[in-house]
Amino acid sequence: MKRLTLDGLEALFAALRGQGFELIGPQLRDAALVLGPLEHAAELPVGWTDTAQDGGRYRLARRPDRAHFGYVVGPQSWKRYLFPPEEVLFRARRSGEGFALDPAEPPPRRAFIGVRACDLAAIQVQDRIFVHDPGYQARRAAAFIVAVNCTEAGGTCFCVSQDTGPQARGGFDLALTELCTDARHAFVAEAGSAAGAALLDALPGEAADAADLAAARDAIAHAAAHMGRRLDNAGLAEALRARLEHPHWQQVAERCLSCGNCTMVCPTCFCANVEDRASLDGDSAERVRSWDSCFNLEHSYIVGGNVRSSGAARYRQWLTHKLAHWHDQFGVSGCTGCGRCITWCPVGIDITAEAAALRAG
Amino acid sequence: MSALPLPAGDALLWRPEPYRIERVRRDLADTFSLDLVPAGGGAPLAFRPGQFNMLYAFGLGEVPISISGDAEAGGPLVHTIRAVGPVTEAMRGLRAGAVLGVRGPFGSHWPVVEAEGMDLVIIAGGVGLAPLRPAIYYALRHRRRFGRVCIFYGARTPDDLLYKAELKRWRGEFDLVVDVTVDRASHDWAGKVGVVTRLVEGGGYDPLHTVALVCGPEVMMRYAARALLARGVAREGIFLSLERNMKCAVGLCGHCQLGPHFVCKDGPVFRLDQVERLLAVDEL
């Protein structure tokens, strides 16, 4: 464990750039905290927070301090860098009567700055899903992960219920806990891999002392104690499997717009369309994978009709997949408690409330 | 940089192999069969009865199509395709010599080996006969390993009967029961009229020692399963091949889900008790 100053954080950015990584991190854009390329620590949303989230509500606010990571999660997750919204799976050219595929392109080397525990868990969930997907695995192997432990919780956060946070517990190269008080501004840094340890060794800073560690522990505990939402997972998967024909699905459908926002912001949702496209002259072609949503009518298309034509059936598919069938398929829950689906639902449908209502009924 | 190891072969997960069309057969007005051989030479991929491939028309798209040839013949890959959308329509226009892409084989298979020693009842509706034909070929090849073998086939009209010449040949065998029915017929049809599930009542098989393989429209399969259960065939002996939207065939696109199952990789062939409760729920 090492204590980094702000200069140390900047040195970390410089070191990663020096190793050839493109840095991706949170930044302020269009009144939201989104992810994008950055070069310096000062480009982070310094002094901003987004913790006042609620169903269908997201507002940024100024903080009284200069915290660099004093917020939780915005609408985007790291999914867009490992499983991009649109991805070319292969390019092909006509050759004689047949065709030939171009070799796969090497993945970009990216450093993810500020990965929260819920999103780290989401990456591990997608690691299981895409275990045989060559593009995902190549991007994953090329990524360097700088996690940030949450010291505050958002209004729609429930990582404690999902046992994924607020502290990152593995799966990172480096993890930072920001300590931002009147007395000091520092980052307690922990290495989680050999690459992370080597990088940390080379950064300026002193070994974290007992007071640093205690302060970091207390800050994370503060976040854990202030979760905005809670989800009781005990027996939930079984309860949902037994309630496929519960009237509550229809009650949710009366509010649900089937817009698919929840699936777009979800860091684990993986449904995708696969489309083949050809150039106008027909000589070259590509296969493109793009995010799809189980809320789209065409998602369940088969010749003769769509299997899930009602909104109730589509919401049921999403919720039972997330909280019940995901366990059967991948051995984990499909929900990491990031709260995005609640915040970004235009009508504020709350997965924790709907799950509780279904269980009670 | 903690990455999971990449198992061998995954690099090819999305990449179709070029196959050349060796022969085209026009089965029905909208249905045709393609014999495919690897464009680069070598043996076609091995498969088990009931599995499917993803067939790729260059630049146009990819569709899941069951393999309908003989798994043990070692000849070309045979696919029977109904033209129902832009990709399959384009495939209908292809001639011998044209090249398609193939990924596969995917999915679960008919339990033909496990069914040895039992009576075998094969129930097909419409083009549902295509994924069952490899199971029929297996039973014919190893006829002595089975008890009674029954093929019950239903189509909308006499003009929709697939593999008509083969059906007639099979019907001429002394040790096969082949019974055919159509939903609607004109005056030149003297055969049976009615739903295929009615045929389940005949055939003389022993329900207590029967494995039934069923493929057709989902509603037909539900009624067939009900009829088989009513005759006393065990749930564990009834297998269905399901159809859902498929974009990847490897459990990654999410479209084919039925409850906990990915129909593409956990299916398409399911034992009735795996899916019976799920199929009873509307719009699942």
Side-chain angles (χ1 to χ4, degrees):
Chain A
M1 298 274 202
K2 206 162 182 174
R3 182 176 66 233
L4 305 179
T5 61
L6 263 180
D7 289 343
L9 184 66
E10 188 58 39
L12 168 62
F13 279 40
L16 287 168
R17 286 201 311 274
Q19 289 187 14
F21 286 106
E22 179 192 16
L23 274 59
I24 307 290
Q27 48 208 264
L28 181 60
R29 195 166 66 224
D30 302 332
L33 301 187
V34 297
L35 300 177
L38 44 74
E39 298 207 335
H40 301 284
E43 294 166 51
L44 293 166
V46 178
W48 287 97
T49 193
D50 63 355
T51 51
Q53 299 188 27
D54 204 346
R57 183 185 161 81
Y58 179 89
R59 297 287 185 279
L60 296 184
R62 297 299 305 199
R63 294 175 57 92
D65 57 21
R66 300 271 302 156
H68 282 48
F69 297 103
Y71 40 86
V72 283
V73 294
Q76 299 176 340
S77 74
W78 307 93
K79 176 169 94 171
R80 63 174 38 248
Y81 293 99
L82 294 172
F83 164 48
E86 188 166 295
E87 172 187 4
V88 174
L89 294 170
F90 66 73
R91 290 198 168 83
R93 284 161 291 103
R94 265 194 205 288
S95 103
E97 281 278 354
F99 61 88
L101 304 190
D102 292 350
E105 286 163 24
R109 294 183 71 220
R110 288 181 170 134
F112 299 162
I113 309 294
V115 181
R116 305 304 176 131
C118 56
D119 283 352
L120 202 53
I123 291 172
Q124 288 162 354
V125 169
Q126 289 215 323
D127 285 350
R128 294 177 183 229
I129 297 163
F130 291 112
V131 63
H132 296 300
D133 188 76
Y136 178 94
Q137 291 299 336
R139 288 184 292 275
R140 181 75 171 88
F144 187 98
I145 292 180
V146 180
V148 165
N149 294 319
C150 285
T151 54
E152 292 187 39
T156 56
C157 288
F158 56 105
C159 64
V160 167
S161 297
Q162 301 310 94
D163 196 26
T164 58
Q167 180 167 16
R169 289 174 303 210
F172 53 81
D173 293 292
L174 285 176
L176 307 176
T177 309
E178 185 173 27
L179 303 174
C180 190
T181 64
D182 292 342
R184 60 171 166 185
H185 192 182
F187 304 86
V188 175
E190 174 192 4
S193 70
L199 191 71
L200 190 56
D201 274 348
L203 295 179
E206 293 165 25
D209 60 24
D212 296 327
L213 299 182
R217 217 165 30 239
D218 289 350
I220 296 166
H222 171 83
H226 289 83
M227 291 283 123
R229 293 290 196 279
R230 132 171 226 291
L231 178 63
D232 181 4
N233 283 282
L236 180 59
E238 295 73 22
L240 292 173
R241 285 188 200 102
R243 286 165 174 74
L244 295 175
E245 293 174 288
H246 195 283
H248 191 75
W249 300 115
Q250 184 51 39
Q251 292 167 25
V252 183
E254 278 157 21
R255 289 170 281 143
C256 176
L257 309 176
S258 287
C259 71
N261 264 18
C262 48
T263 57
M264 297 294 107
V265 297
C266 177
T268 66
C269 271
F270 61 91
C271 282
N273 261 317
V274 180
E275 258 184 5
D276 290 285
R277 302 173 183 164
S279 60
L280 279 177
D281 63 8
D283 282 343
S284 58
E286 56 185 22
R287 174 165 296 168
V288 176
R289 170 165 70 182
S290 54
W291 290 358
D292 195 7
S293 169
C294 54
F295 285 93
N296 292 337
L297 185 59
E298 307 76 31
H299 184 277
S300 61
Y301 170 82
I302 52 174
V303 173
N306 300 297
V307 175
R308 287 184 282 274
S309 55
S310 72
R314 285 177 259 160
Y315 187 80
R316 177 180 64 192
Q317 169 61 25
W318 182 72
L319 193 91
T320 54
H321 187 211
K322 206 78 358 211
L323 299 179
H325 298 138
W326 213 288
H327 289 278
D328 304 317
Q329 295 169 349
F330 304 110
V332 288
S333 173
C335 175
T336 67
C338 75
R340 287 185 179 93
C341 58
I342 306 172
T343 300
W344 297 95
C345 174
V347 296
I349 293 173
D350 182 337
I351 187 173
T352 63
E354 305 311 337
L358 282 155
R359 175 208 288 281
Chain B
M1 285 185 274
S2 46
L4 299 163
L6 190 64
D10 288 0
L12 301 175
L13 193 75
W14 290 105
R15 300 167 77 85
E17 292 286 322
Y19 271 65
R20 188 178 310 282
I21 299 175
E22 199 178 64
R23 181 173 171 188
V24 181
R25 289 185 187 77
R26 306 285 158 194
D27 298 308
L28 305 172
D30 61 353
T31 306
F32 55 99
S33 294
L34 303 178
D35 289 4
L36 303 173
V37 293
L45 53 84
F47 70 96
R48 304 179 75 170
Q51 289 194 295
F52 68 97
N53 283 323
M54 295 298 282
L55 298 189
Y56 170 57
F58 181 82
L60 264 178
E62 204 179 40
V63 285
I65 305 288
S66 65
I67 311 171
S68 50
D70 185 344
E72 294 174 282
L77 273 180
V78 183
H79 289 280
T80 299
I81 304 167
R82 190 153 67 103
V84 290
V87 178
T88 47
E89 277 292 354
M91 287 177 179
R92 177 157 67 158
L94 296 175
R95 301 190 176 181
V99 172
L100 288 176
V102 174
R103 287 193 299 135
F106 298 115
S108 59
H109 55 271
W110 300 114
V112 284
V113 175
E114 295 81 347
E116 289 177 7
M118 309 279 276
D119 288 356
L120 187 65
V121 174
I122 288 169
I123 307 171
V127 286
L129 185 57
L132 279 166
R133 193 167 63 168
I136 296 172
Y137 286 146
Y138 185 90
L140 296 178
R141 246 177 208 283
H142 308 288
R143 181 64 193 85
R144 282 183 302 175
R145 298 184 194 168
F146 294 89
R148 190 169 273 262
V149 175
C150 305
I151 300 168
F152 301 135
Y153 183 40
R156 275 173 301 177
T157 73
D159 289 339
D160 295 309
L161 290 169
L162 197 60
Y163 308 145
K164 221 174 284 181
E166 261 179 319
L167 279 169
K168 286 179 182 163
R169 197 160 68 242
W170 294 336
R171 203 174 164 129
E173 299 288 338
F174 294 124
D175 54 2
L176 283 181
V177 175
V178 177
D179 209 351
V180 174
T181 183
V182 297
D183 296 338
R184 296 188 308 275
S186 49
H187 61 278
D188 55 354
W189 171 260
K192 289 188 182 172
V193 176
V195 292
V196 68
T197 49
R198 295 293 307 275
L199 304 182
V200 173
E201 293 158 19
Y205 56 92
D206 175 1
L208 299 182
H209 296 96
T210 286
V211 168
L213 314 179
V214 189
C215 187
E218 198 163 302
V219 60
M220 164 261 175
M221 291 196 287
R222 286 211 301 266
Y223 279 102
R226 194 180 295 177
L228 287 162
L229 290 170
R231 266 210 67 172
V233 178
R235 280 187 164 70
E236 295 73 19
I238 301 173
F239 295 81
L240 318 176
S241 181
L242 299 185
E243 183 191 359
R244 285 292 182 273
N245 192 4
M246 288 181 196
K247 301 279 188 183
C248 76
V250 288
L252 290 182
C253 80
H255 290 90
C256 70
Q257 290 177 82
L258 174 67
H261 306 297
F262 290 104
V263 171
C264 70
K265 60 174 197 172
D266 303 326
V269 176
F270 290 97
R271 212 173 60 188
L272 178 63
D273 57 344
Q274 292 178 287
V275 293
E276 187 177 21
R277 201 179 69 86
L278 301 169
L279 291 178
V281 179
D282 275 349
E283 293 193 53
L284 194 67

